[in-house]
Amino acid sequence: MPPPADIVKVAIEWPGAFPKLMEIDQKKPLSAIIKEVCEGWNLPNPETFALQNADSTNFYITEKNRNNIKNGSILRLTTSAAQVAQQLHERIQSSSMDMKLDALKDLANSSRDITFAQEFINLDGISLLTQMVESGTERYQKLQKIMKPCFGDLLSFTLTAFVELMDHGIVSWDTFSLAFIKKIASYVCKSAMDTAVLQRSLAILESMVLNSQDLYQKVAQEITIGQLIPHLQGTDQDIQTYTIAVINALFLKSPEEKRQEMAHILAQKQLRSIILSNVIRSNKPINDEMAHQLYVLQVLTFNLLEDRMMTKMDPQDQAQRDIIFELRRIAFDVECESNNSGSIEKRKSMYTRDYKKLGFINHVNPAVDFTQIPPGMLALDNMLYFARHHQDAYIRIVLENSSREDKHECPFGRSSIELTKMLCEILKVGELPSENCHDFHPMFFTHDRSFEEFFCICIQLLNKTWKEMRATSEDFNKVMQVVKEQITRALTIKPNSLDQFKSRLQNLSYTEILKLRQSERMNQEDFQSRPILELREKIQPEIMELIKQQRLNRLCEGTCFRKISSRRRQDKFWYCRLSPNHKVLHYGDLEESPQGEVPHDSLQDKLPVADIKAVVTGKDCPHMKEKGALKQNKEVLELAFSVLYESDEYLNFIAPDKHEYCVWTDGLNALLGKEMTSEFTRSDMDTLLNMEMKLRLLDLENIQIPEVPPPIPKEPSNYDFVYDCN
């Protein structure tokens, strides 16, 4: 007979004693269980003891998390969180440097546990740490010359404990004094500072800026971009990552009217070229966190274009009209000089003719073309940049098209406006950066005016494609679709420079795009004859079973999931995998991202598949309802799923990417006997089904398959032709 569901069998350790095997009744109060354990070892004062997981986390068992205890778990009897917090609170104030150092090291490790953190914070521990940072470090600095390693460790453990405690979200960031901010900022500004101290200080500044507008203003007064730049010129990628994270935070939280000013300062300090030479082109591979911060910086930089993108042109504004006159002057310089005199009507007629050659929709008043938002004035800015910085190409395109037959001329003005709008869509100008995205493009860090240069390359591509397609004005939308496909295909290989991007586009001519489309169409082509459809229906269950097995195999291999904090980005991981018999989900926290599969026996927590009641996704997930910051992030929402079990229990996931999301939701649905509905399943089904169909129809190549079966021939008049082998 199986044991009751409320009884779990565990092992409990106590230093100097043999581990005790015990059955825990989950209905009994935790205090009663601890008292029973203490009596077994004749330990007095059971109220001063607690249970904790005997693994790398050492997290305390509480009434809230006790349901996570599974059969076979190993627990440890230890001093209660309140007692440990009180002891550490006293020890970190010791006059002995060695005792203080050991206490701070223990505090940094213990602060990861929210149970301990709550007790230490209740003792006003955060205030004690900030006071030590504000005033105590002066005293330590006197010892720094003779105890330099000790000083670095002392400060490092203090700041680590502070960061871990604050990460639980119990204390508001708005409570810190200006003196504390100044002290943290001073560690960042020093040229020679312990690496660990510098890393923690940068992390604290980032969190301050992101979590409080008031603290943003104070931090912005204490830290300048010039003081952060030297940290990017080192070789420590973690320091570089945190430095860019602080710059991104300052950029993100700065008022709109100050962002252009900050961008100007970044340009003056040559931030782009420093990142290019010391980060992107360094010998070290770029890790995910650095890629994310570069992506955020790229998005924030392009978002500076949003104001111009959403600004309509005022047809009555003479300064704006002068830009159009400048485009005309550069294109038709000689012609303008020779027609400098004449009546107003004649000059208007000449302007109208030239504006038509420039490809504007409104030949009389082209300013009207720029009243559409997006792209607004950004399109005109791009056109002027192209005309001034790539003058020969600009003049060639305008004159080339103005001399063509009317039906084949490529309208430069209209093309530039639509192309600018398209590029803004491709680069998602105006959208906030996603929490999980790492999609930065190295080529955008190779030029101070990368968007404008990007436009200049693409407008020449558009003109080239127009000629290759022998397009007319009726084909305008078709040309734009082809150009968009050329650009997006070229961007997928992540060119390292604008020249590489240009070379890639040269290979993606209209003819090549047609070949790629034809190839993809053939791969996806569905034969509609009845025999083929019947064969597809027959094969489909076999393919679906193959996909199901692949999904379950992937679940057995397991995946490392990242814990995302809305307060700051840091690497906290947990791992989940399915048992080989498909009966149990094993999961547990990890100290760092694994370099391969994590063994089942190192994952302490278990969830029987039979206990799973449902799999929910997106906004229906409990953790998406709880965390407002994550709920607002569209990409995180699309990667979230939860496993519901028992009555109100759930296991929450945020997949590392869309592929893992589809694999896990498919696999979990397969375990529950439900249909696998992800887009990856549909894609895999199409790919595998088409491949299987082509293999089976290989012998029928170039043979036309009839719509209906051929008629059965009449019986022969005699069977004399049959040879009897006997």
Side-chain angles (χ1 to χ4, degrees), residues 30-39 42-51 77-80 83:
L30 194 59
S31 57
I33 296 171
I34 293 171
K35 183 178 180 181
E36 183 182 340
V37 174
C38 290
E39 288 174 351
N42 298 319
L43 298 173
N45 305 320
E47 66 276 3
T48 63
F49 290 92
L51 291 174
L77 185 66
T78 187
T79 310
S80 68
Q83 290 279 102

Side-chain angles (χ1 to χ4, degrees), residues 416-557:
S416 298
I417 293 168
E418 289 301 320
L419 179 63
T420 300
K421 182 180 178 182
M422 180 202 294
L423 298 183
C424 289
E425 290 172 356
I426 291 172
L427 299 177
K428 299 180 180 178
V429 174
E431 294 186 21
L432 286 175
S434 165
E435 181 70 21
N436 277 347
C437 189
H438 311 121
D439 189 25
F440 83 97
H441 293 275
M443 73 177 191
F444 291 129
F445 289 84
T446 62
H447 202 284
D448 289 328
R449 303 288 295 274
S450 59
F451 183 80
E452 289 86 344
E453 289 293 326
F454 185 43
F455 168 84
C456 293
I457 293 170
C458 293
I459 192 65
Q460 294 178 73
L461 167 73
L462 193 154
N463 187 65
K464 173 175 170 284
T465 302
W466 185 283
K467 288 189 290 185
E468 290 172 349
M469 293 178 67
R470 295 190 55 79
T472 63
S473 56
E474 288 80 11
D475 301 318
F476 186 84
N477 290 333
K478 292 181 182 178
V479 176
M480 295 305 295
Q481 289 173 3
V482 172
V483 170
K484 184 174 184 178
E485 187 174 342
Q486 290 170 314
I487 294 169
T488 51
R489 284 181 184 273
L491 286 176
T492 54
I493 64 166
K494 298 288 182 69
N496 289 320
S497 66
L498 291 165
D499 286 337
Q500 278 190 19
F501 175 67
K502 194 186 296 184
S503 299
R504 175 61 179 153
L505 289 176
Q506 290 293 328
N507 297 327
L508 285 171
S509 63
Y510 175 57
T511 305
E512 184 63 24
I513 291 292
L514 288 179
K515 288 179 181 177
L516 290 169
R517 285 180 175 180
Q518 180 66 19
S519 173
E520 290 168 2
R521 193 178 298 118
M522 288 177 65
N523 290 335
Q524 298 170 0
E525 192 174 49
D526 289 332
F527 298 107
Q528 297 303 314
S529 63
R530 196 172 69 182
I532 298 296
L533 293 175
E534 289 176 356
L535 181 59
R536 287 178 69 89
E537 288 177 11
K538 182 180 177 182
I539 297 173
Q540 203 157 340
E542 301 172 18
I543 302 297
M544 186 58 74
E545 182 62 26
L546 182 65
I547 294 172
K548 176 183 173 182
Q549 291 304 318
Q550 187 273 338
R551 298 293 192 263
L552 294 177
N553 289 340
R554 277 289 293 108
L555 264 61
C556 290
E557 293 173 10

Side-chain angles (χ1 to χ4, degrees), residues 8-19:
V8 290
K9 296 181 179 181
V10 300
I12 300 178
E13 298 176 342
W14 172 252
F18 287 107

Side-chain angles (χ1 to χ4, degrees), residues 114-344:
I114 191 169
T115 307
F116 169 85
Q118 185 68 68
E119 296 291 346
F120 189 78
I121 289 169
N122 290 342
L123 296 172
D124 212 14
I126 292 282
S127 297
L128 177 60
L129 291 177
T130 54
Q131 288 169 16
M132 290 172 63
V133 172
E134 288 174 24
S135 57
T137 48
E138 275 83 359
R139 185 158 52 88
Y140 305 147
Q141 283 172 344
K142 294 177 183 178
L143 302 171
Q144 185 177 4
K145 291 182 180 178
I146 56 173
M147 302 178 66
K148 190 170 182 179
C150 180
F151 167 74
D153 291 342
L154 196 73
L155 193 53
S156 171
F157 289 134
T158 304
L159 295 179
T160 300
F162 174 83
V163 169
E164 293 290 352
L165 291 168
M166 288 303 298
D167 195 43
H168 295 295
I170 300 169
V171 179
S172 169
W173 283 94
D174 287 307
T175 57
F176 299 109
S177 67
L178 182 60
F180 179 72
I181 298 169
K182 285 178 176 291
K183 185 61 66 176
I184 296 297
S186 71
Y187 300 144
V188 173
C189 296
K190 285 182 180 176
S191 56
M193 177 52 69
D194 181 81
T195 302
V197 173
L198 178 58
Q199 186 173 315
R200 305 299 187 279
S201 300
L202 288 167
I204 292 170
L205 290 180
E206 181 198 6
S207 295
M208 284 180 171
V209 172
L210 290 176
N211 289 281
S212 169
Q213 190 63 30
D214 182 51
L215 287 182
Y216 153 73
Q217 295 173 349
K218 292 176 180 177
V219 171
Q221 290 173 353
E222 297 298 324
I223 293 286
T224 65
I225 299 299
Q227 291 166 328
L228 293 171
I229 292 293
H231 301 313
L232 293 173
Q233 295 172 318
T235 56
D236 190 316
Q237 192 169 114
D238 288 335
I239 296 296
Q240 292 173 327
T241 302
Y242 276 101
T243 302
I244 298 176
V246 172
I247 294 172
N248 286 337
L250 291 168
F251 214 147
L252 190 62
K253 286 294 180 178
S254 62
E256 289 187 14
E257 63 273 11
K258 288 189 176 181
R259 286 184 187 172
Q260 291 289 352
E261 180 184 338
M262 185 173 177
H264 182 65
I265 294 171
L266 294 177
Q268 279 186 327
K269 299 295 181 181
Q270 297 183 323
L271 175 70
R272 178 198 58 75
S273 59
I274 289 171
I275 289 176
L276 181 67
S277 56
N278 292 280
V279 178
I280 297 175
R281 292 181 177 171
S282 70
N283 295 326
K284 294 181 180 178
I286 294 176
N287 60 36
D288 286 347
E289 181 61 21
M290 174 60 85
H292 172 76
Q293 294 300 340
L294 291 173
Y295 152 78
V296 172
L297 182 59
Q298 174 185 291
V299 170
L300 295 176
T301 304
F302 284 144
N303 281 357
L304 295 171
L305 304 168
E306 185 182 11
D307 182 53
R308 295 293 283 174
M309 182 181 78
M310 301 306 292
T311 300
K312 292 183 179 181
M313 183 172 185
D314 181 1
Q316 307 306 318
D317 188 320
Q318 188 57 43
Q320 294 179 359
R321 290 170 63 85
D322 286 344
I323 299 176
I324 298 177
F325 292 151
E326 177 72 0
L327 291 173
R328 176 179 174 273
R329 185 197 66 76
I330 294 173
F332 309 112
D333 189 35
V334 177
E335 206 171 326
C336 288
E337 290 178 358
S338 61
N339 290 282
N340 206 20
S341 60
S343 65
I344 295 175

Side-chain angles (χ1 to χ4, degrees), residues 555-573:
L555 264 61
C556 290
E557 293 173 10
T559 300
C560 179
F561 296 93
R562 186 173 186 159
K563 292 186 176 181
I564 296 181
S565 166
S566 59
R567 285 166 288 282
R568 66 185 181 91
R569 289 180 61 85
Q570 66 171 8
D571 291 333
K572 286 191 175 181
F573 303 97

